[in-house]
Amino acid sequence: MTNLSHIPLIKDQLGRALRDLRISVMDRCNFRCVYCMPEDKFHPGFKFLPSKKRLSFDEMLRLVRIFTKLGVTKIRITGGEPLLRVNLTDFIGDLSTIGNIKDIALTTNGVLLKKYAYELKASGLDRITVSLDSIDPNEFKLMTGGRGDLDRVLSGIDEAQRAGFQRIKINAVIKKGINENNILKMVEYFRDQPVVLRFIEYMDVGTINDWQQQETIPSSEIIELISNKWSLSPIKQNYEGEVASRFIFDDIGTEIGFISSMTNPFCGSCTRARLSSDGKLYNCLFASTGIDIKSWIRSDMDDKTIEEKIVSIWQSRNDRYSELRYLNQNNKDKEKVEMYYIGG
Ligand code: SF4
């Protein structure tokens, strides 16, 4: 157990400590999910970041070392699709040598997982979350902009389990009119497997997905739908700040979760900072602007100075978008960062 008592707690305006850093290592993706990268906006001519604009892994490692001095112990690697970034497993290997890091997780669409599962395990990765919104091959293709091969994702999940990854999380975003008819089929498919299926309320992340309130199905309705078929019991969180509300199936004891940013926001315990692949720091998934810290590490600024600047960014943080979503009328037209760019 890493002793963190020597690390001063850096708290924001709402008393939330900085504990988690989510790093988007890549803005590109090989899917075009309708709520994140709709094909019509991310067409073949769309200009993604040129690689020299992205942080190098050495630059990311330097930043991570700085963040761990400020209390960060958990790293989540996201995208776009992170497995598209070359030498990712080397980066994870280097991350796992940084003393204060207790947990390294990866969020992927799973289509390249079969290829990298054993390498990822050997590199020191602790946990995997796979974004999978349907167990129906046609619907899955529809949701991924015609690019998702369901069999490849499912065989990737199987391979990752064979490689030794346990309790793989399966995150499914439910969008009304697209995949709500698949909810019970997904439960049927996964509930007796050693994975944790989690349903996510469709959120107004970014602006490109043209989110409409009526397309969000509240978790309470999904829980009711599932409970009509299988008896569920709530269980307590694994740790403070966990985003999912957890339940078990009373008959077989396996777990299922619900992430309800729309109807049951969890900003009060949000300890997450986000870093885009081109080095912008965001204090919230729904932020409008990020702070360019790449220019700092590409200047002759020393680590101590960068540390102090990050401390003041976090200490001035008062973001709680999900709690204020309906209260603040301006939110509706607010320009927000896109999910593909900073990861979920
Ligand atoms: S809306 Fe922002 S502050 Fe609230 S939980 Fe999400 S990222 Fe954290």
Side-chain angles (χ1 to χ4, degrees):
M1 184 66 157
T2 314
N3 171 6
L4 297 171
S5 56
H6 62 290
I7 297 195
L9 271 187
I10 310 292
K11 292 205 169 176
D12 69 10
Q13 298 285 308
L14 306 178
R16 300 166 295 185
L18 171 57
R19 279 281 177 259
D20 304 61
L21 181 63
R22 295 189 170 199
I23 306 175
S24 167
V25 295
M26 168 58 84
D27 57 330
R28 291 174 180 276
C29 186
N30 42 14
F31 282 3
R32 290 291 178 274
C33 297
V34 290
Y35 53 81
C36 177
M37 268 184 158
E39 184 79 34
D40 59 336
K41 308 263 173 37
F42 294 86
H43 42 70
F46 183 85
K47 289 266 172 288
F48 288 98
L49 289 167
S51 51
K52 67 179 182 307
K53 282 246 168 104
R54 287 194 202 101
L55 292 173
S56 68
F57 283 142
D58 285 344
E59 289 170 330
M60 288 181 184
L61 288 166
R62 181 180 168 199
L63 281 172
V64 169
R65 288 191 186 90
I66 291 170
F67 273 98
T68 58
K69 288 192 194 128
L70 304 176
V72 165
T73 58
K74 298 176 73 173
I75 302 288
R76 178 169 289 278
I77 297 166
T78 68
E81 173 46 44
L83 291 176
L84 288 175
R85 179 98 187 228
V86 179
N87 300 329
L88 181 71
T89 49
D90 297 341
F91 172 56
I92 295 171
D94 294 335
L95 272 180
S96 64
T97 65
I98 299 177
N100 295 342
I101 295 181
K102 287 194 303 190
D103 181 61
I104 306 172
L106 174 87
T107 301
T108 171
N109 64 24
V111 82
L112 296 171
L113 200 44
K114 184 157 189 185
K115 182 175 174 189
Y116 293 109
Y118 282 85
E119 250 184 272
L120 288 166
K121 189 65 187 169
S123 72
L125 183 68
D126 298 300
R127 297 183 298 121
I128 291 180
T129 298
V130 176
S131 306
L132 176 65
D133 302 320
S134 179
I135 208 75
D136 173 286
N138 302 325
E139 204 173 72
F140 182 63
K141 215 151 198 80
L142 184 69
M143 288 208 76
T144 56
R147 302 177 182 216
D149 179 333
L150 182 62
D151 289 342
R152 282 183 66 191
V153 175
L154 294 176
S155 59
I157 294 168
D158 295 343
E159 185 80 344
Q161 291 184 75
R162 280 190 289 275
F165 287 102
Q166 298 186 343
R167 294 174 53 74
I168 293 173
K169 297 215 169 79
I170 312 291
N171 281 2
V173 174
I174 300 299
K175 184 176 178 183
K176 197 165 189 149
I178 301 237
N179 61 336
E180 75 268 31
N181 299 332
N182 213 258
I183 294 170
L184 295 180
K185 289 190 200 118
M186 287 196 87
V187 176
E188 189 83 60
Y189 183 88
F190 284 114
R191 77 187 203 101
D192 55 4
Q193 292 192 34
V195 300
V196 181
L197 175 61
R198 306 178 325 157
F199 290 105
I200 302 183
E201 289 178 340
Y202 174 43
M203 296 182 282
D204 54 338
V205 179
T207 50
I208 278 179
N209 66 7
D210 190 25
W211 174 83
Q212 303 295 324
Q213 175 72 54
Q214 62 274 21
E215 293 173 324
T216 295
I217 300 178
S219 292
S220 55
E221 287 181 29
I222 300 178
I223 294 169
E224 192 188 336
L225 176 72
I226 297 169
S227 307
N228 290 343
K229 192 159 182 189
W230 298 280
S231 162
L232 294 177
S233 297
I235 52 174
K236 66 179 183 43
Q237 291 187 309
N238 288 309
Y239 55 88
E240 210 234 333
E242 184 174 20
V243 295
S245 45
R246 305 169 66 214
F247 290 76
I248 54 160
F249 291 98
D250 293 331
D251 57 347
I252 55 176
T254 51
E255 184 178 337
I256 187 167
F258 302 88
I259 300 175
S260 318
S261 162
M262 303 298 298
T263 58
N264 185 18
F266 33 79
C267 303
S269 56
C270 178
T271 57
R272 296 174 286 277
R274 291 174 166 85
L275 187 64
S276 68
S277 62
D278 61 346
K280 292 208 182 71
L281 183 62
Y282 291 84
N283 278 338
C284 173
L285 177 59
F286 299 89
S288 300
T289 52
I291 293 159
D292 173 19
I293 63 176
K294 178 176 69 183
S295 57
W296 302 347
I297 53 172
R298 289 191 179 175
S299 72
D300 53 11
M301 201 181 285
D302 63 19
D303 285 8
K304 195 74 198 125
T305 312
I306 295 176
E307 222 177 278
E308 285 153 9
K309 288 165 93 58
I310 293 173
V311 168
S312 76
I313 292 170
W314 187 262
Q315 288 179 332
S316 62
R317 177 190 190 234
N318 61 4
D319 299 68
R320 52 191 191 106
Y321 174 89
S322 286
E323 286 176 355
L324 302 176
R325 176 183 280 117
Y326 300 111
L327 303 174
N328 183 338
Q329 279 316 308
N330 305 335
N331 275 342
K332 231 171 356 66
D333 316 317
K334 181 177 182 236
E335 195 60 36
K336 291 172 281 174
V337 63
E338 297 299 335
M339 179 136 86
Y340 82 93
Y341 176 70
I342 54 164

